[in-house]
Amino acid sequence: MMSKSWFNRLLLSYMPIFIIVVTFTFFVFFQLISEQGRKEAINANSMLSLQAMRLIDTSLRAIDNMVMKESINNKSLIDFFNSNENGDPYINISAVMKMNDMISYYPLIDSVYLVRYEDQVVLSNATGGHIDTYPDKAFIEQYRNTISQKWTDKRSFKQFTLLESKDVVSLVRGAPFMTGEKGMIVVNVATDSLERLVHELYNSEVSFIRIKDGAGNELLNEAEPVDSMRVYANYKSSYSNWSYISGFVQGTFIQTVSLLYNVWFVIGLLMIFAGLVWMIYISRRNAKPVEQIVSRFSGYKLALAESGKNTGSGRINEFVFIESALDNLTEQAKQYQQQYKEDLHLRTRNLFHQLIEAGAELTPLEWQREAQRLQLPAPADRHTLIVMELDKYGEFCSSYSRNDQNLLKFALRSITYEQSSRFGYACWAEWTASSRLSVILFESGNAPAAMLVQLCDSIRAWIEQNMKFTISIGIGDPALQHSEIAKSFQQALEALNYKMVLGENRLITREDMMSQGQVEVYAYLGMIRSAVYAFRKSEASWRAELDDLFSQMKQGLLTKDEIMNVINYLLYSLGRELSGLGKEFNLVWESEALPVLTGKLDNCHSLENMHEAIIGKMTELEHTFADMRYSGQHAGIIQEMRRVIEEEYVNPNMSLEYLSEKYDMNAKYVSKLFKETTGQKFIDFLIDIRLNEAKRLLKETRRTVQDIAEEVGYTSAISFTRVFKKVVGCSPGEYRSETLKQQNG
């Protein structure tokens, strides 16, 4: 019973708001309808004025065009103006018949008459005679010398003296049309005809139309007084110069609409006032139970004064009192739950890091107790660490939003738990880096190592088939004691360091790292210098040397950091060698090639990608340098000199003087052109060719140093040995011995 009473009270409390909303809805609705109706009525009235103006202008213009056409083409009218008073009577009869035809074709025409200046004769459709006896003599005299091109203002006209005059507007045209020297044609249109024409367009009880001529005279006879009318449209004809005024008669539709608007406005105000009164009454009535509830808790002292929630008089606000108590309890509960969740998550991550970090002091008993509290897997007989790394993590971040990244990472973690359970493993996975998910696998008994590999490969294959990214998995050795878990974790991380060499989207174990012998990084520096030197000399061997370099790097099983050190040395060597080619070549390398190549290498995730990027860019650079070298004026001559040097390098007399005599050029100029075109001095080019051949002979033959010196263009073994040691770094004999040792292993 009490609950029903409260329900009714609350229902009545909200009822005034409901009534006010509904009332205002109706008020706005009818207001919009009224306003729309008023606008439509005004637009219709404007269209009425325009329609009346266009109708009258069209009718008058048609009469004007007809008069102009007939005055030019009609024989009866032309004959009348060309005859005299004593002429043929048939001419007058024909002219009268033509005027009657004009009146028949255009009902608006009230009368037509013709004036012939030569004998002062006036001939109308009803009578004829001398101008002195015609009632419209004054009008004729007025317009005889100033013939209007359009319609006159409103005037009085009577055909006969005995008849009453009527209001007309007249059109006066000269005859002939262009000069008007022989007479005039006067066409009269009664204003009554115009009034009947206009009255067919509207209802005079609702709206009105006023037409005024150029002098301001009313053309229509209206019965309504001006005070009872309200003007909404006023247009002026460009043809007749008449004004068209229209509006509504007061007390009709517009007044009704305005009245409705006022009525609904008053009703809305009354409903607002009634709703306010009703809400005050209901609020006072429903406040009594709340006061009783507060009085029962008067012994509970809430620190409202400190929080500034007391009223100014020192009296406690009942709703604030209740709200503060509930807020306080709710906030405490939320804080407790939030703190519990945060502590749970932080404790879980902290425990995981204690296990995988070397030097953390954690006993098996402490681990077991904490795992039980956090609802984690209990310690097992042995544990294996695996680390899953997202391949091409930069592309992963750029392809997905932050929310999508979190969702995909959650999916990877979930599939790890699911697959581990399917293979009979308990697992514990935590994100230890933005791109790495570390997993502890709990093994009870002696599970075969092959099953662990199958589990990791199933996770990798599922991600490859169902996701748009791949993962690489590093696997550490099983930890028989909990203190060895950190070592297993480091082994898994170390395995991932070889991902750039071994490839992505695969498993990397200790066996993979031990199956290939590692080579020290400095072993590749000589290969880099040789390839870069060949590139500088535009020799085709540089590509094969770089291919061999990357092949040996892959076989040497370098870590990511070691690979980056080798690549950086390669770029440094390229820049150093190319700086000796001249400013133009160095500018191309530093401003164009190096930034592009660096950007490509930053996006490479494997040794193969780096190989392709470097070979591709150096090939482009080789073509660019070739175009720059052979675009000079003497490029063909220098190219021919290079061919001669390569063919005749064994000639002891090969020198700049020899070439200058052969090509009839100054020796210094030859030296300058050779350096600018090839990027290398003449003597260096010659020494490279001779020493490369000498190295081949030292490796492949048992000939003496003296014989080899003569074979490559040196007359003295001493000078050959001095040059060889300066360039290669050791004597020819030492070079041969070192080569034999390498060949024999």
Side-chain angles (χ1 to χ4, degrees):
M1 185 70 178
M2 183 177 297
S3 111
K4 186 176 180 181
S5 174
W6 269 103
F7 172 77
N8 292 334
R9 289 184 180 183
L10 292 176
L11 182 63
L12 290 175
S13 298
Y14 288 103
M15 189 61 67
I17 301 176
F18 173 77
I19 295 174
I20 291 173
V21 170
V22 172
T23 303
F24 262 88
T25 302
F26 276 99
F27 163 68
V28 172
F29 174 73
F30 281 103
Q31 181 183 1
L32 290 176
I33 291 179
S34 301
E35 184 64 18
Q36 185 66 24
R38 189 179 70 85
K39 291 181 179 179
E40 291 295 335
I42 293 174
N43 291 336
N45 182 260
S46 298
M47 292 301 298
L48 173 64
S49 299
L50 287 174
Q51 185 66 19
M53 183 179 69
R54 291 168 182 169
L55 178 61
I56 292 177
D57 283 358
T58 301
S59 301
L60 297 180
R61 198 185 301 273
I63 296 173
D64 190 359
N65 293 337
M66 180 271 296
V67 172
M68 179 179 64
K69 179 179 178 182
E70 295 296 338
S71 65
I72 296 173
N73 300 325
N74 189 267
K75 186 175 182 305
S76 300
L77 298 181
I78 294 173
D79 291 343
F80 171 78
F81 286 108
N82 289 332
S83 64
N84 51 42
E85 186 176 4
N86 298 322
D88 189 357
Y90 177 74
I91 293 176
N92 292 346
I93 295 173
S94 297
V96 171
M97 292 176 64
K98 185 59 187 175
M99 286 187 286
N100 289 330
D101 290 341
M102 294 166 61
I103 295 174
S104 299
Y105 285 132
Y106 296 92
L108 283 180
I109 298 177
D110 178 74
S111 60
V112 181
Y113 65 84
L114 309 176
V115 180
R116 191 167 57 210
Y117 295 154
E118 184 178 358
D119 52 6
Q120 301 291 303
V121 171
V122 177
L123 180 66
S124 71
N125 60 311
T127 184
H130 196 270
I131 191 173
D132 293 334
T133 62
Y134 194 67
D136 208 24
K137 176 184 178 182
F139 178 79
I140 295 172
E141 294 294 337
Q142 178 184 355
Y143 281 88
R144 178 171 181 175
N145 297 322
T146 57
I147 298 176
S148 173
Q149 298 298 318
K150 295 182 181 179
W151 294 84
T152 65
D153 295 333
K154 178 181 176 182
R155 69 188 187 90
S156 296
F157 170 74
K158 57 182 179 178
Q159 188 93 319
F160 302 100
T161 306
L162 299 177
L163 296 178
E164 293 183 0
S165 62
K166 60 174 64 176
D167 294 333
V168 298
V169 291
S170 302
L171 174 68
V172 181
R173 289 294 185 187
F177 175 74
M178 297 300 295
T179 60
E181 59 186 12
K182 294 184 178 182
M184 68 170 65
I185 303 174
V186 179
V187 179
N188 299 313
V189 175
T191 57
D192 294 342
S193 300
L194 298 177
E195 185 174 352
R196 287 193 299 271
L197 184 64
V198 171
H199 275 186
E200 295 176 357
L201 301 177
Y202 68 99
N203 185 356
S204 60
E205 295 181 357
V206 177
S207 57
F208 68 90
I209 294 180
R210 289 276 189 266
I211 303 177
K212 296 183 179 182
D213 59 18
N217 301 316
E218 293 280 354
L219 297 180
L220 307 181
N221 296 321
E222 293 290 345
E224 297 84 354
V226 176
D227 295 339
S228 65
M229 301 177 182
R230 185 170 182 180
V231 176
Y232 285 96
N234 189 346
Y235 297 98
K236 190 170 186 179
S237 171
S238 60
Y239 172 71
S240 62
N241 202 31
W242 295 352
S243 299
Y244 294 79
I245 303 170
S246 65
F248 294 99
V249 179
Q250 295 291 347
T252 58
F253 175 74
I254 297 298
Q255 186 175 2
T256 303
V257 170
S258 300
L259 180 61
L260 284 175
Y261 175 83
N262 295 331
V263 169
W264 279 106
F265 185 77
V266 173
I267 292 175
L269 292 178
L270 291 177
M271 292 306 299
I272 293 174
F273 178 75
L276 290 174
V277 173
W278 183 254
M279 289 176 65
I280 294 172
Y281 169 73
I282 293 298
S283 299
R284 290 178 60 86
R285 182 179 177 182
N286 293 341
K288 293 181 180 180
V290 177
E291 293 176 355
Q292 293 176 359
I293 294 174
V294 175
S295 64
R296 292 186 179 184
F297 289 95
S298 58
Y300 178 73
K301 301 298 183 180
L302 191 66
L304 296 176
E306 297 179 1
S307 59
K309 293 184 178 180
N310 283 15
T311 59
S313 60
R315 180 184 176 185
I316 296 177
N317 187 311
E318 293 84 357
F319 289 105
V320 174
F321 183 89
I322 298 173
E323 180 184 4
S324 299
L326 293 176
D327 288 346
N328 189 22
L329 295 175
T330 304
E331 186 64 27
Q332 289 180 1
K334 287 182 178 179
Q335 291 178 358
Y336 175 77
Q337 293 177 357
Q338 185 68 23
Q339 187 67 34
Y340 177 77
K341 291 180 180 179
E342 292 178 357
D343 290 347
L344 187 65
H345 181 67
L346 292 176
R347 288 171 61 185
T348 302
R349 290 178 60 88
N350 182 54
L351 178 60
F352 191 90
H353 281 275
Q354 283 184 335
L355 292 173
I356 65 175
E357 292 176 359
E361 297 180 358
L362 184 67
T363 64
L365 183 59
E366 292 174 343
W367 180 10
Q368 186 171 6
R369 290 177 179 175
E370 191 67 14
Q372 186 176 2
R373 295 191 190 100
L374 300 175
Q375 298 180 355
L376 298 172
D381 296 335
R382 62 179 183 175
H383 310 86
T384 302
L385 260 293
I386 64 173
V387 179
M388 304 178 186
E389 185 173 65
L390 299 176
D391 296 332
K392 300 179 178 65
Y393 186 66
E395 296 180 7
F396 176 83
C397 294
S398 61
S399 301
Y400 301 100
S401 63
R402 180 61 62 86
N403 291 335
D404 291 341
Q405 293 177 33
N406 294 334
L407 182 61
L408 292 173
K409 289 181 179 180
F410 175 78
L412 175 59
R413 186 177 182 186
S414 299
I415 196 61
T416 301
Y417 279 104
E418 180 182 339
Q419 293 292 330
S420 300
S421 177
R422 188 167 68 88
F423 279 82
Y425 287 93
C427 75
W428 178 11
E430 293 288 343
W431 286 95
T432 53
S434 58
S435 61
R436 290 177 176 175
L437 178 66
S438 302
V439 183
I440 301 178
L441 296 175
F442 297 78
E443 305 177 47
S444 298
N446 295 321
M451 184 170 292
L452 174 63
V453 175
Q454 291 178 7
L455 166 62
C456 295
D457 194 59
S458 68
I459 297 174
R460 181 203 61 77
W462 192 95
I463 294 297
E464 181 183 13
Q465 295 172 4
N466 298 278
M467 298 293 187
K468 294 184 178 180
F469 62 91
T470 59
I471 60 172
S472 298
I473 303 178
I475 305 175
D477 292 338
L480 301 179
Q481 298 180 0
H482 82 284
S483 58
E484 297 178 353
I485 293 178
K487 180 180 178 182
S488 180
F489 175 70
Q490 293 300 323
Q491 291 172 347
L493 292 180
E494 183 181 355
L496 288 175
N497 284 333
Y498 295 93
K499 182 176 71 171
M500 183 169 287
V501 175
L502 298 177
E504 299 177 331
N505 189 24
R506 60 164 294 167
L507 310 181
I508 305 175
T509 63
R510 294 281 293 175
E511 288 76 10
D512 296 324
M513 294 185 289
M514 301 301 296
S515 62
Q516 304 181 38
Q518 296 187 0
V519 180
E520 297 294 337
V521 174
Y522 66 82
Y524 304 108
L525 303 185
M527 301 176 66
I528 292 175
R529 289 193 293 268
S530 177
V532 170
Y533 191 64
F535 178 79
R536 176 189 174 183
K537 295 189 300 179
S538 300
E539 296 179 356
S541 61
W542 69 266
R543 188 188 306 271
E545 293 182 14
L546 281 184
D547 292 340
D548 185 47
L549 169 66
F550 279 93
S551 176
Q552 293 194 27
M553 287 173 63
K554 185 173 183 64
Q555 296 176 4
L557 198 64
L558 301 181
T559 64
K560 181 178 180 180
D561 293 337
E562 291 171 341
I563 291 174
M564 295 309 300
N565 290 335
V566 173
I567 297 301
N568 289 333
Y569 183 76
L570 173 60
L571 297 179
Y572 164 75
S573 299
L574 269 173
R576 185 183 62 184
E577 288 293 335
L578 296 179
S579 62
L581 296 180
K583 293 183 179 180
E584 295 181 358
F585 296 90
N586 194 39
L587 181 62
V588 172
W589 164 252
E590 292 183 352
S591 62
E592 299 179 10
L594 182 59
V596 174
L597 184 56
T598 304
K600 289 184 177 180
L601 292 176
D602 290 341
N603 295 323
C604 291
H605 301 279
S606 66
L607 195 61
E608 288 78 5
N609 297 143
M610 289 186 173
H611 185 192
E612 294 175 0
I614 291 175
I615 291 295
K617 194 59 188 177
M618 289 182 65
T619 302
E620 295 178 8
L621 198 61
E622 182 183 35
H623 296 159
T624 302
F625 285 174
D627 294 339
M628 294 172 63
R629 283 168 177 162
Y630 302 133
S631 61
Q633 180 179 3
H634 300 284
I637 297 176
I638 299 302
Q639 186 67 14
E640 179 65 20
M641 288 182 181
R642 288 187 56 171
R643 186 186 62 78
V644 170
I645 296 171
E646 291 171 352
E647 292 177 355
E648 303 180 14
Y649 68 91
V650 298
N651 183 2
N653 296 321
M654 177 60 64
S655 62
L656 284 173
E657 288 73 12
Y658 175 80
L659 292 176
S660 63
E661 292 177 1
K662 184 177 180 64
Y663 291 97
D664 193 22
M665 297 176 67
N666 182 272
K668 292 184 178 180
Y669 188 59
V670 171
S671 176
K672 179 181 178 182
L673 285 179
F674 198 94
K675 179 68 167 65
E676 291 178 352
T677 305
T678 65
Q680 192 175 20
K681 294 181 180 179
F682 162 77
I683 190 63
D684 293 338
F685 183 74
L686 179 60
I687 290 174
D688 287 342
I689 294 177
R690 289 176 172 177
L691 293 188
N692 286 335
E693 179 63 17
K695 289 178 183 178
R696 186 186 67 80
L697 294 174
L698 288 170
K699 289 180 182 179
E700 300 176 0
T701 68
R702 308 299 299 173
R703 299 171 65 178
T704 64
V705 174
Q706 178 65 40
D707 293 340
I708 293 175
E710 294 176 355
E711 182 70 20
V712 296
Y714 289 94
T715 57
S716 170
I718 297 175
S719 59
F720 167 70
T721 302
R722 184 174 62 252
V723 173
F724 190 95
K725 189 172 183 178
K726 179 180 179 181
V727 175
V728 179
C730 61
S731 66
E734 293 173 348
Y735 180 81
R736 172 176 280 174
S737 300
E738 185 67 25
T739 304
L740 290 175
K741 288 180 182 180
Q742 293 180 359
Q743 291 177 352
N744 296 330

